[in-house]
Amino acid sequence: MKTLFINIEKLLQVEESSAKWVAGSAMAVLSIINDAYLLINDNLIEDFGSMNDLPDFSDEQSLIEIDVTGRIILPTFCDSHTHLVYAGSREIEYVDKIKGLSYEEIAQRGGGILNSAQQLEKATEQELFDGALDRISEIISFGTGAVEIKSGYGLTTESELKMLRVISSLKKEVPIEIKSTFLGAHAVPHEFKNRPLDYVNLIIDEMIPRVAEEGLADFIDVFCDKGFFTVEDTDRILNQAVKFNLQPKIHANELDYSGGVQVGVKYNALSVDHLEYIGDAEIESLLNSETMPTILPGAAFFLNMPYSPVRDMINAGLPIALASDFNPGSSPSGNMKFIMSLGCINYKMTPEEVINATTKNTAYAMGIHKTHGSISKGKVANLIVTTQIPGYEYLPYAYTSNLIEKVMINGNFID
Ligand code: NIG
Ligand code: FE
C-alpha cells in the first residue's frame, strides 16, 4: 500500500544521501523542502520533492492521498537514552529534593537507584512489561519512533536478566525500534557497600557473560561518576564487554569531571551521556572520536544541575544529541518535544539545532542512523505530522502543547 502526502507546508530533515551525524556549525542548518510531497511505500520512504515536480501517480493502485495543507512533516524523534522499564515511581524523593536534599544525599540514604532496585526485585515480568508498555504508548503519541532502554534497576544477575527479558518482550510487542542496554554498573547494591570491587567482579565474571550468552543486550553502559563507578572499574568492565561484542554507551561527567568521557572514547563508545562537567580535555577527546556527546536536559532541569556547555561544544565542532533519560528518579518524562524546548531555553540551542539533536544525532547514538532519523529514500517511514502551526520554531516555543496531529510508524498511523 502507498500513501502520498501532498501540500506539505514544510518537509524537514530531507537527505539525498544519509550522513552519519550533524556536527558543529552544520547543526544550525535544516534541510527543508517547502510545499512538498512525500510518498510512502509500505513501511519505507519511497520518494519526495516539491509539489511543482509532483509525478503523475494516477496509475498507482491503492494509493491513499492525504492533503496536509498548513502542516509540517518531520521524522519521529529517536530517544537514545531511557530507563523506562521500572517498578514504582519516586515522587517522595521528589518532595525530599524540594525540601533541600541533594541527589547524592538521597542516594546515600538508600534512596535513588537502590530504591528502584528494591521495588523492581518484587515486581513480576508481567508487571514491568505492562508499565513499560504504557510509557512507550505515551512517548509514541509524543512523537518518539525509536527508543533505547537500559537495565540497571536489577543489580543482581537474576534481576538484571529479568529487566533485559522484559525489554526483549517489548521489542516483539511494540511497533517502534527498541535497542537494549545492559547497565549492571548503575549503582553498588547494599550488600556490596563495603566491598564494591566484588560487585564489579560479579558484573565482569557473571553478568556480562550471561547477558551476552542469552543475546539480551545491544549495548553496555556504566555510570562512571563520583560516588558510583571509577574510571578503573569502568575500564575493567568495558575491557570484558568488548570481548562479548557489547559496544559501550556511558553515563559520564554528570556529577564531576569523572574521566568517564575519556574512558568511553578509549573503548569507542557509541555515546557518552549527561556531560554536565565538560572542559577542554573532554572536548578534545570527543573531537578525535566516533562517540556522540549526548545531553539529557530533562535530568539537569529536574535535578537543578549545572547545564552542559553545549555552545562551547558545538563551536568546537562537535555533534550534540539530546535524549530524555526517562526514568523514575531524575527525569520522569519521555516527552522529546519538551526536551527540545529545554535545549533551546537552557542550552541556548536554536530550533534547527534541537531538531538535528533529537532526530539524526540520536539515531546515531543508538546505532540506527542508516534506517532512522531523517527523511531519506529507503529509510523507515516514521513521521510526525504537526497540527497547523506557523513554522517549525513554534514546536519548541509552545512547550506544553503537543502540536502533533498524527504519528506514522512503519508506514502506519498510530491511533
Ligand atoms: O541517568 N545518572 C544515573 N542514572 C540515572 C538516574 C536513575 C535514577 O535516579 O533512578 C540517570 O539520571
Ligand atoms: Fe540515564
Side-chain angles (χ1 to χ4, degrees):
M1 197 197 70
K2 294 195 177 185
T3 308
L4 176 66
F5 293 95
I6 57 166
N7 299 322
I8 306 165
E9 183 80 20
K10 284 179 191 293
L11 182 61
L12 306 187
Q13 290 295 58
V14 176
E15 285 187 304
E16 281 308 327
S17 63
S18 182
K20 67 174 178 180
W21 66 35
V22 199
S25 56
M27 284 198 66
V29 182
L30 274 185
S31 172
I32 300 172
I33 302 178
N34 293 313
D35 193 20
Y37 75 89
L38 172 64
L39 181 67
I40 307 303
N41 186 357
D42 278 333
N43 61 329
L44 300 179
I45 294 167
E46 181 167 300
D47 193 17
F48 52 80
S50 160
M51 282 300 285
N52 292 333
D53 307 321
L54 182 67
D56 180 6
F57 291 118
S58 52
D59 286 349
E60 289 276 359
Q61 302 290 311
S62 66
L63 178 93
I64 297 173
E65 191 176 283
I66 303 176
D67 186 333
V68 289
T69 299
R71 277 90 173 160
I72 292 170
I73 292 186
L74 67 156
T76 51
F77 302 117
C78 298
D79 190 351
S80 60
H81 182 137
T82 82
H83 309 246
L84 67 70
V85 171
Y86 59 81
S89 47
R90 305 214 315 252
E91 63 279 6
I92 301 306
E93 287 173 21
Y94 169 72
V95 176
D96 282 346
K97 257 172 255 155
I98 293 167
K99 291 181 178 162
L101 266 66
S102 74
Y103 186 58
E104 282 156 302
E105 283 165 339
I106 289 169
Q108 272 155 17
R109 292 197 338 175
I113 296 163
L114 297 184
N115 179 356
S116 280
Q118 260 175 11
Q119 301 197 56
L120 187 126
E121 170 101 61
K122 295 182 216 125
T124 64
E125 282 187 36
Q126 188 64 48
E127 285 163 348
L128 292 172
F129 178 88
D130 292 345
L133 194 59
D134 285 349
R135 288 173 207 122
I136 292 174
S137 302
E138 184 188 45
I139 64 173
I140 293 174
S141 75
F142 292 155
T144 293
V147 66
E148 180 259 15
I149 311 174
K150 300 173 195 296
S151 67
Y153 292 130
L155 309 182
T156 64
T157 305
E158 280 320 310
S159 285
E160 283 294 312
L161 291 172
K162 175 165 87 171
M163 284 192 80
L164 291 168
R165 279 196 299 270
V166 170
I167 302 172
S168 286
S169 306
L170 290 164
K171 286 186 181 186
K172 293 183 201 120
E173 178 74 17
V174 305
I176 64 172
E177 181 76 22
I178 295 180
K179 292 287 183 191
S180 58
T181 301
F182 166 59
L183 176 57
H186 198 190
V188 176
H190 282 308
E191 50 282 30
F192 288 91
K193 196 169 172 230
N194 298 320
R195 45 188 186 104
L197 276 186
D198 287 354
Y199 185 61
V200 174
N201 290 338
L202 182 74
I203 293 170
I204 293 171
D205 298 332
E206 188 175 290
M207 292 190 189
I208 291 176
R210 287 281 304 276
V211 167
E213 216 169 82
E214 298 189 29
L216 286 173
D218 300 299
F219 306 114
I220 184 158
D221 196 341
V222 177
F223 188 8
C224 180
D225 228 320
K226 190 172 79 180
F228 289 82
F229 293 87
T230 65
V231 169
E232 292 70 34
D233 299 335
T234 309
D235 197 290
R236 288 183 58 221
I237 292 168
L238 298 187
N239 190 38
Q240 172 77 324
V242 167
K243 295 182 194 144
F244 288 88
N245 279 325
L246 289 170
Q247 194 179 5
K249 281 170 65 65
I250 301 296
H251 276 78
N253 298 49
E254 175 186 2
L255 306 171
D256 203 355
Y257 295 94
S258 64
V261 168
Q262 288 90 334
V263 71
V265 167
K266 174 178 170 192
Y267 283 93
N268 191 29
L270 193 52
S271 69
V272 285
D273 303 24
H274 270 296
L275 313 185
E276 275 73 16
Y277 290 85
I278 292 294
D280 291 346
E282 285 77 14
I283 290 178
E284 198 51 40
S285 159
L286 285 163
L287 279 172
N288 297 311
S289 80
E290 294 288 298
T291 299
M292 177 61 68
T294 301
I295 311 299
L296 309 172
F301 166 72
F302 191 78
L303 298 179
N304 269 319
M305 287 189 298
Y307 295 123
S308 317
V310 165
R311 287 258 57 95
D312 292 347
M313 295 166 80
I314 294 177
N315 288 343
L318 287 174
I320 292 288
L322 299 180
S324 77
D325 199 15
F326 194 176
N327 76 74
S330 65
S331 186
S333 164
N335 187 330
M336 288 291 279
K337 185 177 155 295
F338 182 56
I339 294 299
M340 288 203 302
S341 300
L342 292 177
C344 292
I345 296 162
N346 291 333
Y347 298 81
K348 308 284 177 259
M349 296 174 77
T350 64
E352 294 81 3
E353 287 172 335
V354 294
I355 292 173
N356 277 317
T358 51
T359 57
K360 271 206 68 71
N361 285 356
T362 37
Y364 178 88
M366 57 187 290
I368 58 169
H369 60 288
K370 294 196 174 130
T371 51
H372 292 72
S374 65
I375 305 291
S376 187
K377 288 175 194 170
K379 279 198 176 181
V380 173
N382 277 8
L383 310 171
I384 292 171
V385 182
T386 69
T387 55
Q388 286 190 303
I389 52 174
Y392 61 80
E393 298 88 344
Y394 197 82
L395 289 170
Y397 159 80
Y399 66 95
T400 60
S401 306
N402 195 24
L403 307 178
I404 294 175
E405 193 162 275
K406 286 208 172 305
V407 175
M408 174 177 267
I409 302 291
N410 298 323
N412 298 312
F413 286 117
I414 302 293
D415 300 328

